[in-house]
Amino acid sequence: MKLIAGLSILSLSFSTQARLSPINARNAAITKPTLTNRAANSSECWNTLSCSFTQIEESPLSDRLAYVKYLQTLFVPLNAGNQFQPFEGLINLTASAHVGKPGTWPSYVIAGNVEGIQRGGAIALGTGTSDAGNPGSKLWADFLTKMKNKQLGDRDEHDRLWSLAEEASTKYGLTTAKNTSTVSTKSSRLNRWSTFIQIYRTILRDRKAAGTVFRVAFTVLRPEIAFEASDFVNWLTDTTNRIPLGAGSAVAWDSPQFDPPVAPQNPLEDVRIIGGLVAALFKIYKDGGVSE
């Protein structure tokens, strides 16, 4: 799909209403979670940051959310104590929408990301060496090691490495789901979410270009908001903000009008979908979609 073309006709869908379930506030005190597994003897894998994909996937979403928060407390020495809040937003969304129960593809996506972050963190902290077969683990380890060494002062490089690790972990979770006979991945909701996450990654990897496209598009179509283009892109790509990823997922999951077209591909329909998703996110931004 042509992202630039989609962004350039945002006015087609600026009336889109996004339905976002409330994002839970962060716990005042982070407690150690318990990730259980019906097939495992140990329920204390968080002690060694070695929880298996299955342990994570079979755990309630509330436990996974607690685990992501707990991991971030361990990552403070890596200068990364707040770098995974977008996943908090995604987990909150799946829990409140009742779509991330164990054995579903959203559950597998979340498990792939949590496992990758966990294993990558163990490698970066020097407490583990295994990537558990998850391609995202080493990418997260690289990201966290560079954060520790203060090598990611350039936001463009920071966002690029973050998005590469997220993509690898997400794809691992989806591939695992597709290879599991009991998990259905034939879903229009998955197709819509995949479209959103591609837009999200594209903007993360070229924030400056996206900002320029937004500014030009807004100047032509909505000149009164053109000055907000850069702030909007910075909000959308802020990895210390839990709202944009969860909000975008909510828009994609709850909006059948954003179903990708069936073959043959229709470029104009692609443009409409991209424009609509981004316009819905802009509305959330304007409505005060900022971190607590």
Side-chain angles (χ1 to χ4, degrees):
M1 293 186 297
K2 304 300 183 182
L3 176 62
I4 292 178
L7 300 183
S8 68
I9 61 162
L10 293 176
S11 62
L12 290 179
S13 303
F14 259 87
S15 62
T16 300
Q17 298 294 317
R19 297 184 297 278
L20 176 64
S21 298
I23 299 293
N24 296 338
R26 291 182 64 81
N27 293 345
I30 303 298
T31 57
K32 292 182 178 179
T34 299
L35 294 177
T36 59
N37 177 6
R38 295 190 298 271
N41 295 322
S42 174
S43 62
E44 297 185 349
C45 54
W46 45 264
N47 267 329
T48 53
L49 305 188
S50 61
C51 299
S52 69
F53 181 94
T54 302
Q55 282 176 288
I56 296 169
E57 197 282 318
E58 291 186 347
S59 296
L61 289 173
S62 57
D63 286 358
R64 296 185 230 182
L65 178 61
Y67 193 40
V68 170
K69 291 181 178 181
Y70 173 64
L71 287 171
Q72 289 177 100
T73 68
L74 301 183
F75 296 163
V76 171
L78 303 177
N79 301 312
N82 61 354
Q83 290 296 303
F84 300 100
Q85 293 195 37
F87 296 106
E88 293 183 27
L90 180 61
I91 295 171
N92 264 316
L93 180 276
T94 55
S96 60
H98 306 291
V99 296
K101 294 180 180 179
T104 63
W105 71 259
S107 176
Y108 274 67
V109 165
I110 291 170
N113 278 290
V114 174
E115 182 191 43
I117 293 167
Q118 166 206 247
R119 296 283 183 173
I123 295 170
L125 289 166
T127 61
T129 58
S130 173
D131 64 7
N134 186 328
S137 300
K138 290 184 178 179
L139 293 175
W140 282 124
D142 180 52
F143 170 81
L144 289 167
T145 298
K146 288 180 176 176
M147 287 292 291
K148 176 184 177 182
N149 295 333
K150 299 182 179 180
Q151 295 175 304
L152 294 180
D154 177 76
R155 182 167 174 183
D156 291 339
E157 180 66 2
H158 168 282
D159 291 358
R160 186 183 71 84
L161 293 181
W162 194 98
S163 70
L164 289 173
E166 173 276 319
E167 181 177 21
S169 299
T170 294
K171 286 185 175 180
Y172 177 72
L174 275 176
T175 298
T176 304
K178 290 176 180 178
N179 291 335
T180 304
S181 60
T182 57
V183 179
S184 174
T185 56
K186 294 180 179 180
S187 164
S188 59
R189 177 172 272 169
L190 172 56
N191 293 336
R192 294 194 299 271
W193 184 77
S194 296
T195 297
F196 160 69
I197 202 67
Q198 289 172 23
I199 296 171
Y200 181 75
R201 289 181 194 134
T202 298
I203 296 174
L204 268 172
R205 292 175 189 176
D206 204 343
R207 183 172 51 89
K208 291 179 181 177
T212 299
V213 171
F214 277 113
R215 189 163 51 253
V216 171
F218 289 1
T219 298
V220 173
L221 303 170
R222 296 283 300 277
E224 72 276 13
I225 62 171
F227 72 96
E228 297 186 77
S230 294
D231 287 344
F232 170 59
V233 171
N234 287 335
W235 169 82
L236 182 63
T237 57
D238 181 2
T239 61
T240 68
N241 186 344
R242 71 185 56 83
I243 292 180
L245 182 57
S249 297
V251 170
W253 290 357
D254 291 346
S255 306
Q257 69 268 31
F258 297 141
D259 278 339
V262 296
Q265 291 294 306
N266 182 338
L268 291 178
E269 188 66 6
D270 289 341
V271 165
R272 182 190 68 80
I273 292 169
I274 294 170
L277 286 170
V278 174
L281 277 169
F282 185 82
K283 182 181 185 303
I284 293 168
Y285 162 74
K286 287 294 292 180
D287 287 344
V290 296
S291 292
E292 295 91 340

